[in-house]
Each structure stands twice: as structure tokens, then as C-alpha cells.
């Protein structure tokens, strides 16, 4: 079953069509099951999937947008399943727990939210990451508007050493923020 994504033209690279088609096929099977099975895909699997780049592959931007919609669908399905099985209060409790796991980093002082990189190592610009954390904190504590796509699409300049936060820590944190926000919308 082909997904019919547009392909890149000329010498431009895009996502490997066979990998994309296989992933979306698996995602469709997982999503359509009445109950999750071991090995099924979920929102996290969609958020972290990667595809090889090949000449005349599927258009990266179009596939990424489809992946965002798929991730949101899986997150909403997981929420709906939890509500139907354990009730709305259980879902709220789980959401509160998940959001609470973010609070520790968000409430740290500016410049101290994540580990700094070692001298010469590349990481994310401290100021830009802290600015995003301030906006996320305002979203959770003051109800300030922010979309999950703003968090998904964030790009930070790279820095080295003390001017940079650890990419792995920041990426893991952002994944958790996206997971929580996607299950709310």
C-alpha cells in the first residue's frame, strides 16, 4: 500500500519511500487495533522515527507534517483508551504526573536547567533553550498560548562548552513536553 507522498525532484534527496511506506503501514495496523499489542507503534515511536535520505525520495516536509498528525492521533487514542478504561480522573492524574516531571527543569534558574557541554563539545545555545523553557513554563502555569508544533519545530543555534546545554538532555526534555502537550490538545 503506497502512501502517495510527493517525491523530491532532480538531485534532491528525500525520505526512502520503502521505509516510509513500511512505517506508515505498521502505524495504520497498530492504530486500527482495538487493543495495543506488544510491538505496536505509539506516539513516541512516531516522534522518534528516522528514515534514510535517498535521491528522489519522499518530500521531507510533507512526510514530517504527516508524522506530526499521526503522533497527535496516537496520543489522542492513548488518552481516549485510558479514559474509557480507567476514567477521566485517572487520565488527569497521569497528565498531572507527566507534567510534574517537567516542573523540576522548568523551575531551575536560568542557565542551570541542563548540563553544560564539555570544552570543545557542541550543544544547544543556553539562552535560546532557556527562552523556550520560560515559554513552556508559562504555558503550563499561566495558560499562555503555545502550540505543540512550536515545540516540535524549535531549532537552536549550536554553541560549544559553557555556552551550550547538552543536546541529549534538551532533546529528551522536549520529547516529554511534546508528549504531554499532544495528549492535551
Amino acid at each position: 500500500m503506497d502512501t502517495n507522498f510527493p517525491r523530491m525532484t532532480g538531485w534532491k534527496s528525500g525520505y526512502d519511500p520503502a521505509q516510509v511506506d513500511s512505517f506508515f503501514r505498521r502505524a495504520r495496523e497498530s492504530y486500527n487495533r482495538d487493543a495495543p499489542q506488544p510491538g505496536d507503534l505509539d506516539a513516541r515511536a512516531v516522534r522518534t522515527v528516522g528514515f534514510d535520505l535517498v535521491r528522489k525520495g519522499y518530500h521531507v516536509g510533507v512526510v514530517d507534517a504527516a508524522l506530526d498528525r499521526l503522533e497527535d492521533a496516537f496520543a489522542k487514542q492513548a488518552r481516549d483508551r485510558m479514559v474509557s478504561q480507567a476514567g477521566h480522573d485517572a487520565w488527569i492524574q497521569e497528565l498531572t504526573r507527566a507534567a510534574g516531571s517537567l516542573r523540576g527543569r522548568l523551575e531551575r534558574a536560568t542557565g542551570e536547567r541542563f548540563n553544560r557541554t564539555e570544552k570543545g563539545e557542541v550543544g544547544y545555545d543556553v539562552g535560546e533553550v532557556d527562552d523556550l523553557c520560560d515559554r513552556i513554563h508559562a504555558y503550563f502555569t499561566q495558560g499562555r498560548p503555545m502550540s505543540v508544533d512550536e515545540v516540535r519545530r524549535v531549532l537552536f543555534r549550536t554553541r560549544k562548552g559553557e555556552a551550550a546545554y547538552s543536546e541529549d538532555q534538551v532533546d529528551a526534555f522536549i520529547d516529554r513536553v511534546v508528549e504531554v502537550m499532544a495528549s492535551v490538545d
Side-chain angles (χ1 to χ4, degrees), residues 7-93:
R7 291 181 182 255
M8 301 301 288
T9 57
W11 291 99
K12 296 178 186 172
S13 294
Y15 290 142
D16 183 300
Q19 292 174 358
V20 172
D21 289 342
S22 175
F23 183 81
F24 273 87
R25 191 175 311 108
R26 263 189 75 207
R28 190 174 302 109
E29 290 167 2
S30 296
Y31 186 83
N32 288 331
R33 287 194 220 291
D34 290 333
Q37 302 294 315
D40 274 354
L41 299 177
D42 60 8
R44 183 178 297 256
V46 174
R47 184 172 50 262
T48 59
V49 70
F51 304 111
D52 293 335
L53 292 173
V54 297
R55 187 169 166 251
K56 295 188 178 183
Y58 285 150
H59 192 284
V60 171
V62 175
V63 173
D64 285 348
L67 288 169
D68 290 347
R69 291 188 302 274
L70 184 60
E71 179 186 358
D72 290 345
F74 270 112
K76 287 177 176 93
Q77 182 184 56
R79 175 195 62 205
D80 293 346
R81 282 180 174 162
M82 178 178 251
V83 168
S84 71
Q85 293 169 359
H88 191 264
D89 289 343
W91 174 71
I92 293 294
Q93 188 174 22

Side-chain angles (χ1 to χ4, degrees), residues 107-175:
E107 292 180 350
R108 288 181 186 175
T110 299
E112 299 177 13
R113 290 187 168 123
F114 302 93
N115 291 339
R116 300 293 179 106
T117 58
E118 297 293 320
K119 183 177 180 178
E121 284 184 23
V122 175
Y124 295 137
D125 181 275
V126 170
E128 291 178 1
V129 173
D130 281 335
D131 287 345
L132 176 67
C133 286
D134 290 342
R135 291 178 47 226
I136 293 168
H137 190 257
Y139 168 82
F140 283 121
T141 61
Q142 301 166 18
R144 292 240 176 107
M146 180 176 219
S147 76
V148 68
D149 285 334
E150 288 177 67
V151 180
R152 276 186 184 124
R153 299 281 179 250
V154 70
L155 295 174
F156 303 113
R157 285 182 286 191
T158 56
R159 299 284 185 249
K160 289 185 179 181
E162 283 298 307
Y165 279 140
S166 163
E167 289 182 11
D168 290 342
Q169 282 188 331
V170 174
D171 288 344
F173 177 78
I174 288 174
D175 282 349

